[in-house]
Amino acid sequence: AQTPVKVTVTGAAGQIGYALLFRIASGQLLGADVPVKLSLLEVPQAVKAAEGTAMELDDCAFPLLSGIEITDDPNVAFAGANVALLVGAMPRKAGMERGDLLEANGGIFGPQGKAINDNAADDIRVLVVGNPANTNALIAQQHAPDVPAERFTAMTRLDHNRALSQLAAKLQVPVTEIKKMTIWGNHSATQYPDLFHAEVGGKIAAEQVDEAWLRDTFIPTVAKRGAAIIEARGASSAASAANAAIDHVFDWVNGTEWTSAAIPSDGSYGVPEGIISSFPVASRGGRWEIIQGLEIDAFSRERIDASVRELVEERDAVRALGLI
Ligand code: NAX
């Protein structure tokens, strides 16, 4: 029988964790023929709640689930890990300045990066979901000098899926008709969902919608969808976030011709090298590649640059705080 793949999930007792773990255990993260072993990392006060989730996982009797470990020690959680989903983070509380937020998250993602560096399997792949996701991924990556930088990624797949769904509704087409959607930049309100390269029925999407809708409705609806969910549901996106994490890792491992993911920049499209920014990506042979050669017009340039500027400011802020 195949050796189980070890998947570590941080923040396992949280609401995304609750939506994510059952799908991983059922085979949706890696494939219906790949056995998995789960490691749940939580803060000490939430270990008991994680144990409760583990009891429910047991009660599903998933054929592919070969074991569950629960711990508050990152060195244990990441020992031999092949996939790490970093979901647990410090949320912004009322009155919190950006510096405080970055510092609190530096205290989580620095040590977790080091624990990954020291303990994970050689093929470790990391997806950061916890916000500010791109910069948390950068912090973790900077504490893991022995792991190839490209193994640290942050999630913009939820934004990508939101963009697909908004465009499909507008044009009254199934989402499967939309190709080459791209989210550029930061997973934040500055993100840029790009319809100038997206295609519907083989034709450029931007040419099938009016410019005012694209600029004043589509872009802000996608970028602010998280806030709209909180407003409606009284809680932040959880199942859709878990779904996007599944999509990201599945495509990373199994390959895709085009999606969006935040990965370390190699300088493509004027994005400073090293910044973890969302790009149009393909996955081949288990590695993300930035899709090259796209023409960027002035409208897109301005928006990509604004989001990248925010990422550079976050990087400079964590540098100034000594977090990287
Ligand atoms: P919850 O507050 O429900 O759960 C977070 C869990 O993380 C808690 O159980 C907490 O105990 C745990 N935790 C905190 N510090 C930890 C540490 N050092 N080690 C291990 N566990 C730790 O939040 P939830 O709704 O699950 O959201 C989790 C994160 O995802 C948040 O940062 C949120 O902002 C972010 N999101 C990111 C999205 C994206 O597209 N990238 C979308 C959804 C979501 O908003």
Side-chain angles (χ1 to χ4, degrees), residues 9-19 40-47 49-50 71-72 74 78 86-92 104-105 107-109 111-112 127-134 136 154-159 162 187-188 191 226 230 233 235-242 244-245:
V9 178
T10 77
Q15 53 153 4
I16 294 176
Y18 195 73
L40 316 187
L41 179 67
E42 259 297 350
V43 294
Q45 58 274 25
V47 162
T71 179
D72 60 7
F78 295 116
L86 307 189
V87 179
M90 177 66 73
R92 189 187 286 265
N105 280 293
I108 296 173
F109 288 86
Q112 288 183 2
L127 170 63
V128 177
V129 174
N131 282 319
N134 302 52
N136 288 341
M155 190 167 91
T156 52
R157 186 60 174 266
L158 177 54
D159 309 299
R162 286 166 171 166
H187 168 68
S188 78
Q191 67 176 263
I230 293 173
R233 203 172 87 88
S236 58
S237 329
S240 55

Side-chain angles (χ1 to χ4, degrees), residues 23-103:
R23 295 191 57 186
I24 299 171
S26 73
Q28 294 179 60
L29 186 75
L30 298 164
D33 53 351
V34 183
V36 291
K37 202 161 57 168
L38 281 169
S39 181
L40 316 187
L41 179 67
E42 259 297 350
V43 294
Q45 58 274 25
V47 162
K48 186 164 179 226
E51 284 167 358
T53 304
M55 288 163 71
E56 284 202 74
L57 284 161
D58 283 340
D59 294 350
C60 295
F62 286 117
L64 289 172
L65 183 58
S66 79
I68 311 173
E69 153 191 281
I70 305 155
T71 179
D72 60 7
D73 181 348
N75 289 316
V76 172
F78 295 116
N82 307 103
V83 177
L85 302 174
L86 307 189
V87 179
M90 177 66 73
R92 189 187 286 265
K93 300 193 182 103
M96 211 176 191
E97 297 295 330
R98 186 173 70 172
D100 301 333
L101 180 75
L102 293 174
E103 189 139 37

Side-chain angles (χ1 to χ4, degrees), residues 54-237:
M55 288 163 71
E56 284 202 74
L57 284 161
D58 283 340
D59 294 350
C60 295
F62 286 117
L64 289 172
L65 183 58
S66 79
I68 311 173
E69 153 191 281
I70 305 155
T71 179
D72 60 7
D73 181 348
N75 289 316
V76 172
F78 295 116
N82 307 103
V83 177
L85 302 174
L86 307 189
V87 179
M90 177 66 73
R92 189 187 286 265
K93 300 193 182 103
M96 211 176 191
E97 297 295 330
R98 186 173 70 172
D100 301 333
L101 180 75
L102 293 174
E103 189 139 37
N105 280 293
I108 296 173
F109 288 86
Q112 288 183 2
K114 182 167 189 332
I116 288 169
N117 188 67
D118 296 349
N119 300 285
D122 286 345
D123 68 347
I124 180 72
R125 287 183 171 88
V126 182
L127 170 63
V128 177
V129 174
N131 282 319
N134 302 52
T135 296
N136 288 341
L138 180 69
I139 294 170
Q141 184 237 299
Q142 292 285 310
H143 286 79
D146 304 330
V147 178
E150 64 178 32
R151 305 287 185 75
F152 285 84
T153 66
M155 190 167 91
T156 52
R157 186 60 174 266
L158 177 54
D159 309 299
H160 177 100
N161 288 343
R162 286 166 171 166
L164 288 177
S165 154
Q166 291 298 322
L167 182 63
K170 172 71 175 176
L171 294 177
Q172 309 246 300
V173 296
V175 286
T176 48
E177 293 236 335
I178 305 174
K179 310 288 178 209
K180 305 187 178 179
M181 181 64 77
T182 301
I183 304 291
W184 297 89
N186 199 0
H187 168 68
S188 78
T190 68
Q191 67 176 263
Y192 174 52
D194 176 1
L195 295 189
F196 292 89
H197 299 100
E199 294 176 2
V200 182
K203 289 184 297 198
I204 295 298
E207 289 165 7
Q208 300 178 58
V209 297
D210 58 274
E211 201 196 313
W213 180 81
L214 190 163
R215 189 187 53 231
D216 303 329
T217 303
F218 173 74
I219 294 174
T221 299
V222 172
K224 296 178 190 162
R225 184 72 166 176
I229 300 283
I230 293 173
E231 170 72 22
R233 203 172 87 88
S236 58
S237 329

Side-chain angles (χ1 to χ4, degrees), residues 247-265:
D247 285 351
H248 177 112
V249 174
F250 186 90
D251 284 352
W252 192 355
V253 172
N254 294 294
T256 183
E257 285 307 304
W258 193 305
T259 188
S260 304
I263 67 171
S265 177

